[in-house]
């Protein structure tokens, strides 16, 4: 699954919006200031594939906005156009597969061929703006999973539209230890300091949909389908099941509290947990069973005890930092869905990560998708689009892997550009002050202003155009900056001449410049340099 290009007519601040992605790249990173449409673009992609997924041979569902998307999936080149008919004002689709018009009935009948297997989305913020778009797809999955007689073989490993939450980190960890694969233990040890799994305590609750029977009257309160199948397997390997009624408070407003029935199932070690792999044959099968039980409102809590190399005693998984859980969740699910025609949308996935993990982040992802470590060949069935504001994440990328979102100064519309230079090799300071982030300086603003003022006065001194008061100020600024390690003794006579000429313009003391001021300084600087070059040539 690789998106080639997208045109969006009008969605939020994306008006007559166009983006061209490099379909040969696994990763595309979106950069840009706040409110330049990066998250809106990811949201638009979610909506596009949501309604394509929900559409059927007889029933079409559409986004509110018109669009054209071109992508490659399972070696087929697909173009979907969603538009408004001029005469009827009704929404319609026009679809081509390998440049041949495809009937809508045929396309939606064969969605599993023409759509990505998974659209996997993660957002680290607190807003539910993305999460809510997945409700209908999750409801369809839930209704099927809970149906009596349905087994793991009747339900896809994961639903096509999948929204990732931190609670999934528990299920990822359990799937990791049930099916220990090459590299998994090394990853857990190196990045999370997790040496081993000690025990698991499942706390189940009587769900809101079960108001009548208790646990003794009906196993797991009458759960059926895929959920019951999993719970029966879990019951077989657990020790000391305890059925209790406990008092709980929904919020601080509950003074007396309420009663609810709970069931505790204890898994004493990973050997007992691995009994599940006799029934579930892949980590995605087990993850599916765990997650379907969670969305069925049966899981109240999962207490996973782990052994960490930097902690004397066992700790619960809940005690891991949010960054640790975030890293495990995203990378674990990427590992589960690799090689499966997947579109991965990550909106600021690095928010809670420390600088070292941010620096390693894309390399970790790249290693997941490497098919051949000797040649470096990557999985070409997956595309990952990442929105970030962190220069550490992009330090090793080529310019083809980056798109910069910005506003068109003429009409305010959002435009997307490829950077002129690759961030690879720039270093963090170079990245921050390049077009990628556009910082005027890596120094704090106060120090940079002081430094600019000192250079301005230094230029005036070179021209003998400085007042006594300004000269005193220059000496003070020079001494203050030397305390920070700024020793500026200009030996190059040509640079002295350049500084002398440019200091005629007071605006060189500024830190922030308007577009007009930038243009003015560029033009004047060019004139000064041309004059210096003439002087150099005449001296030769």
């Amino acid at each position: 699954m690789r998106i080639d290009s997208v045109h969006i007519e009008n969605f939020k601040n994306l008006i007559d919006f166009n983006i061209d992605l490099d379909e040969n790249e696994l990763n595309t990173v979106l950069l840009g200031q706040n409110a330049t449409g990066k998250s809106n673009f990811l949201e638009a992609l979610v909506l596009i594939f949501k309604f394509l997924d929900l559409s059927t041979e007889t029933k079409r569902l559409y986004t509110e906005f018109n669009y054209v998307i071109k992508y490659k999936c399972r070696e087929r080149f697909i173009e979907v156009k969603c538009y408004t008919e001029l005469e009827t004002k009704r929404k319609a689709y026009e679809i081509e597969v390998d440049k041949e018009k495809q009937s809508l009935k045929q396309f939606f009948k064969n969605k599993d061929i023409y759509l990505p297997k998974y659209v996997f989305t993660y957002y680290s913020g607190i807003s539910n703006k993305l999460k809510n778009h997945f409700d209908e797809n999750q409801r369809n999955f839930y209704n099927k999973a809970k149906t009596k007689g349905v087994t793991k073989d009747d339900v896809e490993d994961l639903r096509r539209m999948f929204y990732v939450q931190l609670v999934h980190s528990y299920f990822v960890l359990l799937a990791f230890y049930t099916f220990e694969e090459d590299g998994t233990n090394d990853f857990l040890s190196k990045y999370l300091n997790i040496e081993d799994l000690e025990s698991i305590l499942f706390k189940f609750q009587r769900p809101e949909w079960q108001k009548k029977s208790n646990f003794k009257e009906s196993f797991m309160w009458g759960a059926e389908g895929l959920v019951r199948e999993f719970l029966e397997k879990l019951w077989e390997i657990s020790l000391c099941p305890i059925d209790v009624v406990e008092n709980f408070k929904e919020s601080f407003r509950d003074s007396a509290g309420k009663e609810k029935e709970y069931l505790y199932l204890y898994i004493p070690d990973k050997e007992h947990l691995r009994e599940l792999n006799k029934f579930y044959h892949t980590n995605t099968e087990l993850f599916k069973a765990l997650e379907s039980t969670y969305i069925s409102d049966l899981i109240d809590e999962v207490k996973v005890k782990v052994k960490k190399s930097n902690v004397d005693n066992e700790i619960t998984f809940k005690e891991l930092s949010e960054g640790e859980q975030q890293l495990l969740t995203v990378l674990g699910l990427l590992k589960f869905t690799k090689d499966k025609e997947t579109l991965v949308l990550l909106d600021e996935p690095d928010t809670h990560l420390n600088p070292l993990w941010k620096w390693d982040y894309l390399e970790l992802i790249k290693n997941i998708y490497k098919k051949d470590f000797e040649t470096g060949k990557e999985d070409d069935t997956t595309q990952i689009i990442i929105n970030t504001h962190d220069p550490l994440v992009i330090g090793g990328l080529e310019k083809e892997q980056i798109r910069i979102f910005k506003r068109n100064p003429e009409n305010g519309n959002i435009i997307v550009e490829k950077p002129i230079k690759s961030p690879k090799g720039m270093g963090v300071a170079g990245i921050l002050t390049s077009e990628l982030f556009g910082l005027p300086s890596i120094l704090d603003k106060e120090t940079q202003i002081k430094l600019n003022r000192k250079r301005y006065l230094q230029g005036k001194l070179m021209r003998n155009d400085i007042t006594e008061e300004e000269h005193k100020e220059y000496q003070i600024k020079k001494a203050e900056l030397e305390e920070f390690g700024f020793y500026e003794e200009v030996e190059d006579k040509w640079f002295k001449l350049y500084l002398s000429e440019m200091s005629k313009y007071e605006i060189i003391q500024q830190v922030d410049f308007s577009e007009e001021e930038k243009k003015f300084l560029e033009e004047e600087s060019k004139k000064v340099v041309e004059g210096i070059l003439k002087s150099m040539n005449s001296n030769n």
Side-chain angles (χ1 to χ4, degrees), residues 337-368:
T337 57
K338 68 175 183 176
D339 302 322
K340 293 180 180 176
E341 297 289 347
T342 303
L343 174 62
V344 181
L345 307 175
L346 304 177
D347 198 347
E348 299 185 35
D350 48 7
T351 304
H352 301 289
L353 305 185
N354 66 61
L356 182 59
W357 287 1
K358 290 180 179 183
W359 186 66
D360 261 351
Y361 195 73
L362 289 183
E363 190 64 27
L364 285 169
I365 289 177
K366 189 176 180 180
N367 287 339
I368 289 173

Side-chain angles (χ1 to χ4, degrees), residues 286-298:
L286 178 59
F287 182 91
K288 171 182 64 179
L290 283 159
E291 204 248 351
S292 61
T293 307
Y294 171 73
I295 64 175
S296 296
D297 194 33
L298 282 159

Side-chain angles (χ1 to χ4, degrees), residues 102-116:
Q102 184 86 359
S103 75
L104 300 185
K105 183 177 180 180
Q106 190 69 16
F107 181 85
F108 290 111
K109 180 181 179 181
N110 295 292
K111 285 189 296 186
D112 290 343
I113 297 175
Y114 300 131
L115 294 182

Side-chain angles (χ1 to χ4, degrees), residues 298-329:
L298 282 159
I299 294 180
D300 178 72
E301 187 179 7
V302 182
K303 292 184 178 180
V304 182
K305 281 192 174 182
V306 295
K307 179 67 177 176
K308 293 194 73 175
S309 58
N310 56 351
V311 178
D312 290 336
N313 301 314
E314 301 168 355
I315 67 167
T316 62
F317 186 72
K318 192 175 183 179
E319 293 175 85
L320 296 182
S321 71
E322 195 159 329
E324 290 175 306
Q325 294 182 48
Q326 185 184 65
L327 188 70
L328 177 63
T329 307

Side-chain angles (χ1 to χ4, degrees), residues 10-245:
N10 191 346
F11 176 66
K12 296 188 175 181
N13 65 348
L14 304 179
I15 300 169
D16 194 21
F17 171 84
N18 293 285
I19 185 169
D20 184 18
L21 304 177
D22 191 332
E23 64 271 27
N24 295 315
E25 296 291 345
L26 169 67
N27 297 313
T28 298
V29 176
L30 312 181
L31 301 178
Q33 296 181 5
N34 293 103
T36 52
K38 303 182 301 298
S39 293
N40 290 341
F41 172 59
L42 297 186
E43 185 179 1
L45 290 178
V46 168
L47 290 170
I48 287 170
F49 286 106
K50 168 188 175 176
F51 288 112
L52 289 174
D53 181 46
L54 292 174
S55 294
T56 66
E57 295 174 60
T58 57
K59 182 182 178 182
R60 316 279 188 261
L61 296 174
Y62 306 92
T63 58
E64 292 183 359
F65 56 91
N66 295 337
Y67 66 85
V68 179
I69 184 169
K70 299 178 183 180
Y71 62 93
K72 180 182 176 183
C73 189
R74 297 177 184 85
E75 300 303 318
R76 294 173 174 84
F77 294 92
I78 298 164
E79 178 177 332
V80 178
K81 180 181 179 182
C82 177
Y83 65 100
T84 304
E85 294 177 332
L86 292 176
E87 293 183 2
T88 64
K89 302 300 180 184
R90 290 185 300 188
K91 303 286 286 189
Y93 283 122
E94 190 175 290
I95 298 175
E96 289 185 3
V97 176
D98 292 330
K99 296 188 177 181
E100 292 186 3
K101 191 171 182 179
Q102 184 86 359
S103 75
L104 300 185
K105 183 177 180 180
Q106 190 69 16
F107 181 85
F108 290 111
K109 180 181 179 181
N110 295 292
K111 285 189 296 186
D112 290 343
I113 297 175
Y114 300 131
L115 294 182
K117 186 173 179 66
Y118 302 119
V119 177
F120 170 91
T121 307
Y122 176 76
Y123 173 57
S124 63
I126 59 174
S127 169
N128 285 329
K129 63 178 181 179
L130 271 179
K131 180 177 179 292
N132 293 339
H133 293 320
F134 293 79
D135 286 351
E136 192 169 352
N137 305 78
Q138 179 168 297
R139 191 180 305 114
N140 292 344
F141 171 83
Y142 166 68
N143 288 336
K144 185 174 182 179
K146 71 173 185 175
T147 302
K148 187 174 183 178
V150 167
T151 70
K152 63 182 178 65
D153 298 322
D154 300 318
V155 182
E156 281 283 349
D157 285 351
L158 296 173
R159 54 194 170 277
R160 192 189 315 278
M161 303 298 297
F162 193 90
Y163 185 78
V164 184
Q165 302 177 70
L166 277 186
V167 68
H168 293 140
S169 60
Y170 292 86
F171 310 151
V172 168
L173 187 66
L174 295 182
F176 269 167
Y177 275 110
T178 305
F179 303 90
E180 286 190 313
E181 299 177 351
D182 292 342
T184 298
N185 286 337
D186 290 340
F187 165 75
L188 292 174
S189 176
K190 179 178 179 180
Y191 288 94
L192 306 181
N193 295 309
I194 295 177
E195 297 295 336
D196 209 352
L197 177 75
E198 296 292 331
S199 64
I200 309 113
L201 180 65
F202 284 91
K203 183 182 180 183
F204 295 100
Q205 63 182 358
R206 185 170 72 178
E208 287 299 315
W209 46 263
Q210 180 54 271
K211 301 293 185 182
K212 297 180 180 179
S213 66
N214 58 35
F215 179 79
K216 291 179 181 178
E217 294 171 345
S218 179
F219 178 73
M220 298 310 290
W221 302 283
E224 292 290 353
L226 177 67
V227 177
R228 185 183 185 92
E229 180 182 61
F230 168 69
L231 294 172
E232 286 175 345
K233 297 301 175 186
L234 195 65
W235 179 274
E236 291 173 7
I237 65 170
S238 64
L239 303 180
C240 307
I242 301 174
D243 175 32
V244 297
V245 174

